Amino acid sequence: MKIPAVYQEQEQGKIMVRITEDLVRKRAEHNNLEISTLEEVSLHQQDIEKIENLDKWCRDLKILYLQSNLIPKIENVGRLKKLEYLNLALNNVERIENLENCEMLKKLDLTVNFVGELTSLENLKDLVHFRELYLTGNPCTEYEGYREYVVAILPQLEYLDGKAIEKSERIKATQDVGVLKGYIIEQQNRHKKKREKEKEEIRRHEEEKQKPKKGTNWYTDINGGDQKTTQDVGGSTNTESHDEHEEEEDEELLAEKEKKFWDEEVPFTPESRVAVHEHMKKLKEKEDQKNKAPPKQPRRLFTEDGRPLNVNEAKIDFTLTEDENENSFLLDVVCFKHMDTSLIDCDVQTNYVRVTLKGKMFQVCLPEEVNADSSTAKRSQITGHLLVTMPKAKPIIKPAKPKAENSEENKENKQKNRSRNTHEKLEVDKSVHKTVDIANIVKEKLDNIVPPLGHKPRQKAQERPNSENFVDDPDVPPLE
């Protein structure tokens, strides 16, 4: 069974935030989410109220950050033998304890806590590696002789509240440690009595808050606060609802309570710090609820009686036209040009057509029933538009047109029939003759040829004239 990262327990009306394994693993990203070999972990600002489980899961821890939480006690760290630095600043620690077994501890930060029992520091005197201690902002720092006492009982300490301890200061503090211890015990006893008185006042204050105020009818109010009853002069009762003013009254009441809470003077104690933290937490929850987005309304595609609705979740342009010649409807959907076709789904029904674009619905009602089985959807590769062709379910019967005697179609048909009965010869028009005329190629070339130098043109032979006694007999063949 998987445990949530941070779980809460209800304890005496108080919500506690606990350390869980998943929370530690999330903070161990630098260690590949492995916690058994984890050497450093930061759990600050998690509203943690108890140190637990870290000594079981993270035995190799060297650095542990737990600042800005609500931890009242140092516990469950004795098994961390390799722990070198423990940061518990801005918590509710009142006593230094359970650190005797942290053999390698070098630095302890308890800035702005509520440590009043200064003699509890003697638990750290056997830690030979302990070098730095921060107690700034604790009640014990106001004790007379505070620094001298700490320097005297912790001889291995080198820095106190960020200031180095000089050798002469240590010698003087060691000489006066007997007298200083008496002063410290007396002052911390006074502080202890003061804390008991503060706890008693806080307990009494809480009891007074829980008691009902005088003049209220909380034990006889049967209307549950939703209505108020007023009696008129005639003795009859009228019930009026205060829903209109309820929100304004609540805001005024909350503003008044808020001002009263912050104006109230209370001592700086662990209890007051927890109260402020709880108050801020409630305000944050209210603000989150106010800023929370309203729940998304369920998608409605049909009316209660089953009629389809026009829906355009994708907010795209479209055109629905009617083709009378083909007796069909044409739906042109302007789809995104670069959207993959696999993200588009088209569904044609008898009285509506639905196109789904990347999970968003687009639905259009049709004025007439169509034949869904014969419908087609095509997408343009250039524009990306989707064209849905939907033939109508009821075909339109049109009368046949009479043939006119002198119509152009009849004339064309007659001409075609005549051309079929007569034989026509194929003639080539010389004007459209596109081939090369090779008849005069040689002649043109001979006329344009220039004879070489020294060439004498050949002269034609001259025919001898016929004699006077020559008789042209047609029966005699010509000489070859």
Side-chain angles (χ1 to χ4, degrees):
M1 180 178 178
K2 189 176 181 181
I3 304 174
V6 177
Y7 68 92
Q8 299 176 340
E9 289 185 353
Q10 195 76 18
E11 183 178 307
Q12 297 178 355
K14 182 181 177 182
I15 297 176
M16 292 184 62
V17 179
R18 308 286 293 272
I19 299 176
T20 63
E21 184 177 347
D22 284 357
L23 175 61
V24 179
R25 287 191 187 278
K26 287 183 178 180
R27 297 287 177 164
E29 296 178 353
H30 58 284
N31 199 40
N32 297 325
L33 303 181
E34 296 180 5
I35 62 175
S36 60
T37 59
L38 195 62
E39 295 185 356
E40 179 181 346
V41 64
S42 179
L43 299 173
H44 62 284
Q45 295 180 352
Q46 294 294 317
D47 301 336
I48 298 170
E49 300 187 20
K50 185 179 181 180
I51 305 175
E52 57 183 347
N53 299 325
L54 293 175
D55 57 338
K56 301 175 184 177
W57 302 332
C58 313
R59 291 292 186 88
D60 296 335
L61 269 183
K62 292 183 179 180
I63 301 174
L64 178 57
Y65 295 99
L66 288 169
Q67 66 268 27
S68 299
N69 285 296
L70 299 172
I71 300 171
K73 184 180 180 180
I74 304 175
E75 56 185 341
N76 298 322
V77 292
R79 295 182 182 179
L80 301 176
K81 301 296 183 180
K82 299 180 181 180
L83 187 64
E84 298 179 3
Y85 176 34
L86 177 60
N87 191 334
L88 283 168
L90 296 168
N91 278 279
N92 295 338
V93 178
E94 297 188 57
R95 190 176 188 274
I96 301 173
E97 55 187 343
N98 300 321
L99 292 172
E100 302 86 356
N101 296 326
C102 297
E103 300 171 356
M104 302 300 296
L105 188 64
K106 296 180 181 179
K107 182 178 178 180
L108 177 62
D109 191 348
L110 290 169
T111 305
V112 190
N113 275 268
F114 299 92
V115 178
E117 190 176 345
L118 190 58
T119 55
S120 62
L121 281 173
E122 296 181 4
N123 298 324
L124 306 177
K125 64 182 180 181
D126 295 331
L127 302 179
V128 294
H129 299 284
F130 193 57
R131 295 293 180 268
E132 296 183 54
L133 176 64
Y134 293 86
L135 289 171
T136 305
N138 287 269
C140 62
T141 57
E142 300 177 1
Y143 295 170
E144 185 179 354
Y146 148 74
R147 183 175 176 85
E148 293 80 1
Y149 175 75
V150 175
V151 171
I153 63 171
L154 297 176
Q156 75 277 28
L157 198 64
E158 296 180 357
Y159 294 90
L160 177 60
D161 297 333
K163 185 178 179 181
I165 299 174
E166 298 179 359
K167 189 174 181 179
S168 59
E169 183 182 6
R170 190 183 303 280
I171 294 172
K172 185 177 179 181
T174 305
Q175 293 174 353
D176 300 336
V177 66
V179 180
L180 289 173
K181 188 172 182 179
Y183 290 155
I184 295 298
I185 292 175
E186 183 181 353
Q187 294 177 78
Q188 73 181 15
N189 287 337
R190 289 200 298 266
H191 174 74
K192 187 177 181 180
K193 292 180 180 179
K194 180 182 177 182
R195 281 289 297 132
E196 292 177 353
K197 185 179 179 181
E198 289 174 351
K199 290 179 181 178
E200 183 65 23
E201 290 179 355
I202 291 171
R203 185 184 62 80
R204 194 183 305 114
H205 184 66
E206 292 295 330
E207 289 179 355
E208 290 178 357
K209 280 185 176 180
Q210 295 178 0
K211 289 181 180 180
K213 296 181 180 180
K214 293 182 180 180
T216 59
N217 57 345
W218 61 274
Y219 50 88
T220 58
D221 188 7
I222 61 174
N223 294 321
D226 293 335
Q227 298 176 342
K228 69 177 183 178
T229 304
T230 58
Q231 188 170 3
D232 60 5
V233 179
S236 60
T237 59
N238 294 326
T239 304
E240 62 178 29
S241 174
H242 63 284
D243 292 340
E244 298 177 357
H245 308 284
E246 183 178 358
E247 187 175 353
E248 296 180 0
E249 291 178 358
D250 289 345
E251 291 180 358
E252 293 178 0
L253 185 62
L254 288 173
E256 185 179 351
K257 286 183 178 180
E258 186 75 10
K259 186 176 183 302
K260 184 179 180 181
F261 178 84
W262 293 111
D263 291 346
E264 184 180 4
E265 294 183 2
V266 294
F268 183 60
T269 61
E271 292 78 12
S272 64
R273 189 168 180 268
V274 171
V276 171
H277 176 80
E278 294 294 333
H279 182 75
M280 295 295 295
K281 192 173 182 180
K282 289 179 181 178
L283 290 179
K284 186 178 179 181
E285 289 177 355
K286 290 181 180 179
E287 190 68 20
D288 292 342
Q289 290 179 357
K290 187 183 294 184
N291 297 333
K292 190 176 180 181
K296 191 175 181 180
Q297 296 294 332
R299 182 185 296 165
R300 289 192 62 191
L301 300 176
F302 301 93
T303 60
E304 296 179 356
D305 55 354
R307 291 179 300 170
L309 297 173
N310 291 328
V311 180
N312 192 358
E313 286 183 346
K315 297 181 180 179
I316 56 177
D317 297 331
F318 69 97
T319 55
L320 180 63
T321 57
E322 182 178 0
D323 188 355
E324 296 182 355
N325 296 328
E326 298 295 334
N327 192 30
S328 61
F329 290 107
L330 301 177
L331 176 63
D332 185 6
V333 182
V334 184
C335 300
F336 304 108
K337 182 177 180 180
H338 301 288
M339 178 182 286
D340 194 277
T341 308
S342 61
L343 300 175
I344 303 174
D345 184 25
C346 183
D347 181 19
V348 179
Q349 298 296 331
T350 56
N351 56 348
Y352 69 90
V353 56
R354 181 187 302 165
V355 179
T356 306
L357 301 171
K358 207 173 180 179
K360 295 185 178 180
M361 293 289 184
F362 168 77
Q363 182 172 290
V364 177
C365 301
L366 301 175
E368 295 183 30
E369 292 186 358
V370 297
N371 192 352
D373 296 336
S374 303
S375 300
T376 59
K378 296 181 181 180
R379 192 179 182 199
S380 173
Q381 295 181 354
I382 300 174
T383 62
H385 289 206
L386 180 68
L387 181 63
V388 184
T389 306
M390 299 165 285
K392 295 182 181 180
K394 296 179 180 180
I396 298 176
I397 301 175
K398 298 181 179 180
K401 294 182 179 179
K403 294 183 178 181
E405 295 181 356
N406 298 327
S407 62
E408 296 180 357
E409 294 181 357
N410 293 337
K411 292 180 180 180
E412 292 179 358
N413 293 334
K414 290 179 179 179
Q415 291 178 358
K416 288 180 180 179
N417 293 332
R418 290 175 182 174
S419 61
R420 290 175 184 174
N421 296 329
T422 57
H423 297 282
E424 295 181 359
K425 294 182 179 180
L426 181 61
E427 294 182 359
V428 179
D429 188 3
K430 294 182 179 181
S431 62
V432 295
H433 185 68
K434 295 182 180 179
T435 58
V436 179
D437 187 8
I438 61 175
N440 298 322
I441 290 179
V442 177
K443 184 179 180 180
E444 292 177 358
K445 285 187 177 180
L446 291 174
D447 294 340
N448 296 331
I449 292 176
V450 179
L453 184 65
H455 175 73
K456 294 181 179 180
R458 182 180 297 178
Q459 297 180 356
K460 294 182 180 181
Q462 296 181 356
E463 293 182 0
R464 188 177 59 182
N466 295 328
S467 61
E468 297 179 357
N469 300 323
F470 176 75
V471 178
D472 187 11
D473 190 359
D475 295 333
V476 179
L479 295 177
E480 293 184 358

